[in-house]
């Protein structure tokens, strides 16, 4: 068993969800089915809900006005991972059509992978795979299921050997497409799943909290005296079943980024994470004294109210589904009462959920 598989095994199982399970009802009308560009909006015209910790109310605006809520000296930490075409058409030896989702690259030709069955409403997990089975892929390629990643049944994730006639990057560019779920009605090109500041492809799914930033808006933010600090975390699949916790993901934080974050914290400047992936990375490399260290490797950190948060003061994030494990992290940062108020407002004001939806900026009290 590899180090990655051991960490996945340890993290498998249901999670303790916050705020009395936070099992709210998400109306189907509030699911973002298409990118904002397809709805007649620019990327930075999605809505932004701004909530301040300790305050009992929230503010509503457009994302392009985010600079109003930032101040000189703030540090925005962004995840520069780019999205890959991680989904492939696939078939069992008997010809049953499937989708293969490549989640996390273990080495050159092995990936943690998920098999899913196409349905009229998107896809659902395929649990009938067996070790040693060869799954056919386009252009004569194949995926061999080598071992279940977790001992729990039914098996959803496999370590799979991927055999392609050309390097995997070129193969995915030609035959792959972005992972999508039932609420996204059309297959959109991978360009719709990239942030403006992506530098290195490797995420199975888009780090979507930063999608609304445009080059012009980033320029405006920097001109206002806000620092933008990069890190890298390649995301895996988010199709977690039965309240599974997030799986290990590969991260990298440079010496320079770690230094800038530590200096900002020592100077009592606000550190605002753009996305839950950033929080996960920083909580991995920030020690109990508040010093953020450079690092690279796998993180299996799951942020919960019990663990608390020591690395960030605020968070820009999307709106998360009922019972999503990300709500553990939001509860750790904002508390249950704040979260209930904010999500109640989002539903009342008809905000849109998911990767093409609206955004939520959580800031510390002034």
């Amino acid at each position: 068993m590899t180090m990655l598989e051991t960490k996945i095994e340890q993290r498998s199982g249901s999670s303790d969800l916050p705020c009395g399970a936070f099992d709210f009802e998400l109306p189907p009308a509030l699911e973002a089915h298409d990118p904002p560009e397809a709805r007649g909006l620019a990327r930075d015209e999605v809505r932004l809900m701004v909530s301040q910790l300790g305050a009992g109310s929230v503010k509503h605006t457009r994302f392009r006005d985010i600079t109003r809520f930032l101040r000189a000296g703030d540090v925005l930490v962004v995840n520069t991972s780019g999205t890959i075409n991680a989904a492939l058409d696939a078939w069992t030896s008997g010809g049953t059509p499937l989708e293969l989702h490549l989640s996390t690259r273990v080495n050159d030709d092995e990936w943690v992978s998920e098999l899913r069955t196409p349905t009229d409403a998107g896809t659902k997990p395929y649990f009938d795979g067996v070790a040693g089975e060869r799954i056919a892929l386009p252009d004569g390629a194949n995926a061999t299921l080598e071992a279940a990643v977790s001992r729990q049944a039914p098996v959803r994730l496999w370590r799979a050997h991927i055999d392609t006639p050309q390097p995997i990057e070129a193969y995915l560019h030609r035959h792959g497409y972005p992972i999508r779920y039932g609420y996204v009605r059309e297959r959109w090109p991978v360009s719709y799943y990239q942030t403006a500041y992506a530098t290195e492809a490797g995420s199975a799914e888009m780090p979507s909290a930063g999608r609304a930033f445009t080059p012009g808006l980033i320029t405006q933010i920097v001109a206002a005296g806000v620092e933008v600090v990069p890190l890298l975390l390649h995301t895996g699949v988010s199709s977690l079943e039965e309240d599974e916790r997030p799986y290990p993901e590969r991260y990298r934080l440079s010496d320079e980024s770690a230094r800038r974050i530590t200096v900002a914290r020592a100077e009592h400047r606000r550190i605002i994470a753009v996305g839950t992936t950033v929080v996960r990375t920083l909580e991995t490399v920030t020690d109990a004294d508040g010093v953020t260290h450079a690092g690279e490797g796998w993180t299996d950190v799951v942020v919960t109210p019990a663990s608390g948060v020591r690395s960030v003061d605020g968070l820009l994030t999307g709106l998360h589904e009922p019972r999503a494990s990300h709500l553990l992290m939001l509860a750790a940062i904002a508390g249950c009462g704040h979260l209930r108020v904010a999500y109640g407002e989002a539903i009342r004001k008809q905000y849109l959920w998911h990767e093409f939806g609206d955004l939520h900026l959580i800031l510390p009290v002034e």
Side-chain angles (χ1 to χ4, degrees):
M1 182 177 285
T2 67
M3 180 182 299
L4 172 62
E5 290 171 312
T6 300
K7 290 182 175 181
I8 288 177
E9 178 70 27
Q10 291 170 346
R11 287 296 180 184
S12 296
S14 61
S15 60
D16 297 322
L17 290 166
C19 309
F22 215 80
D23 197 5
F24 59 93
E25 183 71 26
L26 178 61
L30 301 190
E31 295 185 308
H33 301 297
D34 306 295
E37 298 93 316
R39 309 195 302 265
L41 300 173
R43 279 192 176 216
D44 60 1
E45 284 186 303
V46 297
R47 288 193 290 172
L48 176 68
M49 178 173 62
V50 183
S51 63
Q52 189 176 56
L53 300 179
S57 61
V58 300
K59 297 177 181 178
H60 304 282
T61 185
R62 293 285 174 181
F63 188 80
R64 61 177 45 171
D65 294 324
I66 191 174
T67 311
R68 290 172 39 208
F69 303 94
L70 304 175
R71 60 194 188 202
D74 282 349
V75 174
L76 282 183
V77 187
V78 301
N79 180 6
T80 60
S81 178
T83 311
I84 62 175
N85 284 329
L88 290 161
D89 293 330
W91 300 267
T92 67
S93 57
T96 300
L98 300 172
E99 276 189 22
L100 178 70
H101 291 181
L102 300 181
S103 177
T104 304
R105 193 171 192 169
V106 180
N107 54 44
D108 287 347
D109 52 13
E110 288 189 330
W111 292 71
V112 173
S113 305
E114 179 185 21
L115 289 169
R116 295 182 72 88
T117 300
T119 70
D120 292 339
T123 62
K124 64 180 183 180
Y126 175 80
F127 294 125
D128 293 332
V130 295
E133 182 177 5
R134 180 170 291 186
I135 304 296
L137 302 174
D139 197 23
N142 62 76
T144 302
L145 306 183
E146 295 187 332
V149 170
S150 169
R151 295 191 186 95
Q152 290 186 317
V155 176
R156 186 176 62 80
L157 292 178
W158 291 88
R159 190 181 78 233
H161 179 92
I162 310 299
D163 185 12
T164 59
Q166 58 193 130
I168 188 67
E169 293 81 6
Y171 180 82
L172 292 176
H173 178 76
R174 181 177 180 185
H175 296 287
Y177 46 88
I179 290 173
R180 67 187 176 104
Y181 299 106
Y183 53 82
V184 177
R185 295 175 292 203
E186 295 184 36
R187 233 181 235 188
W188 297 94
V190 73
S191 59
Y192 283 88
Y193 293 84
Q194 303 295 1
T195 61
Y197 45 73
T199 59
E200 181 180 319
S203 281
E205 299 184 19
M206 172 176 53
S208 56
R211 187 185 190 277
F213 285 105
T214 62
L217 183 55
I218 293 171
T219 301
Q220 178 184 325
I221 288 169
V222 172
V226 176
E227 283 192 60
V228 179
V229 175
L231 58 73
L232 186 82
L233 182 139
H234 291 319
T235 69
V237 295
S238 65
S239 53
L240 304 179
E241 310 294 335
E242 299 300 325
D243 306 323
E244 296 172 56
R245 292 190 174 203
Y247 291 127
E249 294 166 315
R250 191 185 294 275
Y251 74 92
R252 183 169 72 243
L253 181 72
S254 70
D255 289 328
E256 176 62 16
S257 288
R259 184 193 66 79
R260 291 168 66 187
I261 293 167
T262 297
V263 168
R265 184 175 298 107
E267 295 175 349
H268 304 290
R269 292 188 277 132
R270 300 190 303 184
I271 298 167
I272 302 167
V274 177
T276 58
T277 60
V278 169
V279 179
R280 191 181 205 196
T281 303
L282 292 182
E283 287 297 302
T284 302
V285 296
T286 301
D287 64 27
D289 295 323
V291 177
T292 297
H293 302 272
E296 180 175 4
W298 295 97
T299 176
D300 62 346
V301 167
V302 178
V303 179
T304 69
S307 70
V309 175
R310 60 180 175 266
S311 64
V312 303
D313 303 297
L315 172 65
L316 174 68
T317 184
L319 293 161
H320 302 287
E321 296 177 89
R323 300 188 64 79
S325 61
H326 290 307
L327 293 171
L328 286 164
M329 181 184 294
L330 268 65
I333 293 171
C336 291
H338 186 92
L339 213 51
R340 286 196 189 95
V341 169
Y343 271 62
E345 273 289 286
I347 291 173
R348 186 176 72 84
K349 289 287 190 177
Q350 302 284 286
Y351 275 64
L352 295 181
W353 259 248
H354 305 311
E355 65 267 31
F356 294 138
D358 298 314
L359 293 163
H360 180 198
L361 176 62
I362 304 171
L363 293 176
V365 67
E366 295 290 344

